[in-house]
Amino acid sequence: MTRLIEFLIALGIVAGLALLVGVVLPDHRHITESVETNRKMTIVYDTVNNLRRFRDWNTLVLRDPKIQLKTSGPESGVGARLDFVSSDDRIGTGSWEIVESIPNQKVVIKVEDATAGHDKTVQFLLEPTGKNNRNVKITQTYDVEYGWNLVARYAGLYVNRHVGDDMKMGLARMSNMLASVPNFDYRADGVTLRDLSVVEVPAEDLLVVNAGNVDRSNDAIKQSIKNNQEWIKRTMEANNLEAAGPVRIVTTDFGQEKYAFDVAIPVRRKGSAPAEAPAAAEGEEVDEAAAKAAQDAAFAKPVAASGEPLQVEIPDGAPVEYVRTKGGRAAFGQFTGSMAELDAIRNSVRAWATTHGYEVTDRPYEVWEGGVDKAFTLEGEYDVYWHVK
């Protein structure tokens, strides 16, 4: 009996000490980890301001490769949300939701998961650093509240090892991921690339000429395009076809000395174009410039192929090929400027697509809305496309 009483007294002392220690343990934990990248601030901010690339850097995927991830809400910014479900009890179910976003400065994310504590918050703080502020320092913080839950306070003793190590590894993976993004700032001052988005592109009927490797001089490129347009024109005339949109250039390789590309024109049977809008009534004022701009914009939009593929007879000696493309989605942007800037613009569209969780595929192409001659001035107008998976 005496030993039992001694045991109970000892147990009470231990429990009391545990309670006392639990009371004095912190009811809040804060962890900070940082990494540096040489990518543009725009790229870094857009990457952390959406959750579409969560799988590519967060360590939850390493702990459970079969984890189910689902995004909802806006594509980026406040309200963008990711829910996860894992069969691993240590991960369970949870969510990340962006609750605050300040461009090029910080992104705040509310976290719900199976770990101890409540009011969990992750922040990504962005700071220009390095020589001439060319690099970006990414600081990730994690905050959690335990309140008077003493068991959770004890769990907080290990949060640096568990959560902190995951943060360090996740930032390293994010840095490697960012290194694969073309380092082009698609929102920089002076960049006239606009309306970046993912659009649906229908199947189209095209007449295509492979221009081969052309010297990278404006005169050589322009002449090659015009010569190949003439071959396409002859093929259209021989098959009772008409252009269904402006000329487009499909880039194969843009080298230091040579440019390999295809010249393509969308086509349709003559007389199959949709009816034009009725003319203005007599006495009504007509804004001719606006009307022409609207007409040009309508002409530049992709025309969906319908029915069976066209039967096209290629004239003897013509290096023309008929192609019916497949429909799909593409990263898209509109650009005003010179043809000489298009390589940077293509890479900018790819950078935008990559940071937003889209993987580009196939070759990029531009619809030259203003025609070939205008494209070699600073007033060229282009619709830029790059298909995504």
Side-chain angles (χ1 to χ4, degrees):
M1 185 65 180
T2 302
R3 288 186 178 181
L4 178 60
I5 293 173
E6 289 176 349
F7 174 76
L8 292 175
I9 291 173
L11 186 63
I13 292 173
V14 171
L17 287 174
L19 181 63
L20 180 62
V21 171
V23 169
V24 299
L25 283 174
D27 63 354
H28 170 267
R29 293 283 179 173
H30 174 82
I31 308 174
T32 299
E33 295 289 347
S34 297
V35 73
E36 193 170 310
T37 177
N38 65 356
R39 298 297 95 170
K40 302 292 185 183
M41 177 65 81
T42 296
I43 292 172
V44 179
Y45 170 72
D46 278 1
T47 297
V48 298
N49 193 44
N50 79 80
L51 299 169
R52 292 179 57 85
R53 298 214 66 182
F54 185 92
R55 179 180 293 277
D56 298 320
W57 64 266
N58 194 278
T59 56
L60 284 180
V61 181
L62 298 181
R63 290 199 273 142
D64 180 8
K66 295 182 179 180
I67 192 170
Q68 299 178 36
L69 305 178
K70 180 183 178 182
T71 56
S72 59
E75 187 170 278
S76 61
V78 175
R81 179 184 174 97
L82 179 139
D83 290 273
F84 61 85
V85 178
S86 172
S87 57
D88 187 332
D89 293 337
R90 294 170 299 176
I91 301 174
T93 62
S95 65
W96 285 44
E97 182 176 353
I98 298 176
V99 294
E100 183 182 355
S101 179
I102 301 177
N104 299 341
Q105 294 184 37
K106 75 173 181 179
V107 174
V108 182
I109 301 172
K110 175 185 176 183
V111 178
E112 294 183 0
D113 59 21
T115 60
H118 56 88
D119 293 341
K120 301 165 193 171
T121 302
V122 167
Q123 289 191 84
F124 288 101
L125 308 175
L126 309 180
E127 177 186 356
T129 188
K131 186 177 180 180
N132 297 323
N133 286 332
R134 291 180 179 176
N135 295 347
V136 177
K137 181 181 178 182
I138 309 171
T139 299
Q140 182 180 357
T141 70
Y142 174 79
D143 290 271
V144 55
E145 300 289 343
Y146 299 121
W148 287 102
N149 186 331
L150 301 188
V151 174
R153 290 191 184 189
Y154 273 101
L157 292 171
Y158 304 96
V159 72
N160 278 302
R161 189 177 70 185
H162 294 156
V163 178
D165 288 352
D166 280 357
M167 285 170 54
K168 188 180 297 183
M169 184 182 297
L171 285 174
R173 297 185 74 212
M174 181 182 289
S175 178
N176 291 335
M177 179 191 76
L178 288 169
S180 67
V181 180
N183 202 17
F184 289 82
D185 188 346
Y186 40 85
R187 281 201 295 270
D189 292 340
V191 175
T192 55
L193 178 62
R194 59 194 184 277
D195 297 335
L196 286 164
S197 59
V198 171
V199 298
E200 293 292 333
V201 179
E204 298 178 271
D205 292 317
L206 302 179
L207 292 181
V208 184
V209 177
N210 182 344
N213 282 312
V214 179
D215 288 339
R216 265 193 57 188
S217 71
N218 286 353
D219 290 341
I221 294 171
K222 182 191 289 189
Q223 191 60 52
S224 174
I225 294 173
K226 288 192 171 183
N227 290 345
N228 289 311
Q229 277 184 292
E230 186 60 33
W231 282 116
I232 293 174
K233 181 181 177 182
R234 294 181 188 180
T235 304
M236 287 194 293
E237 292 173 348
N239 288 273
N240 196 35
L241 301 174
E242 65 182 5
V247 64
R248 63 181 61 175
I249 303 301
V250 186
T251 297
T252 301
D253 181 53
F254 193 79
Q256 291 186 343
E257 297 180 356
K258 298 287 186 178
Y259 182 27
F261 61 92
D262 291 352
V263 179
I265 293 180
V267 295
R268 62 189 169 210
R269 289 293 178 196
K270 281 186 178 179
S272 63
E276 295 184 3
E282 187 176 349
E284 290 184 3
E285 292 187 5
V286 178
D287 187 335
E288 294 184 0
K292 186 178 186 306
Q295 185 179 21
D296 290 344
F299 185 60
K301 289 182 179 179
V303 175
S306 61
E308 295 295 320
L310 301 176
Q311 298 298 316
V312 179
E313 294 290 336
I314 307 298
D316 290 341
V320 179
E321 179 184 8
Y322 164 69
V323 175
R324 171 165 284 188
T325 65
K326 293 183 179 180
R329 297 188 304 164
F332 168 83
Q334 292 185 308
F335 169 65
T336 301
S338 170
M339 172 269 174
E341 302 173 80
L342 282 175
D343 187 57
I345 295 302
R346 285 188 287 269
N347 279 298
S348 295
V349 170
R350 181 184 175 191
W352 177 89
T354 305
T355 59
H356 287 75
Y358 299 99
E359 184 179 352
V360 297
T361 183
D362 207 348
R363 296 179 294 165
Y365 64 92
E366 301 88 40
V367 176
W368 291 26
E369 288 191 34
V372 176
D373 290 327
K374 190 176 179 180
F376 289 86
T377 72
L378 295 177
E379 298 177 352
E381 294 284 346
Y382 313 86
D383 289 342
V384 185
Y385 294 86
W386 203 324
H387 281 279
V388 296
K389 291 183 178 179

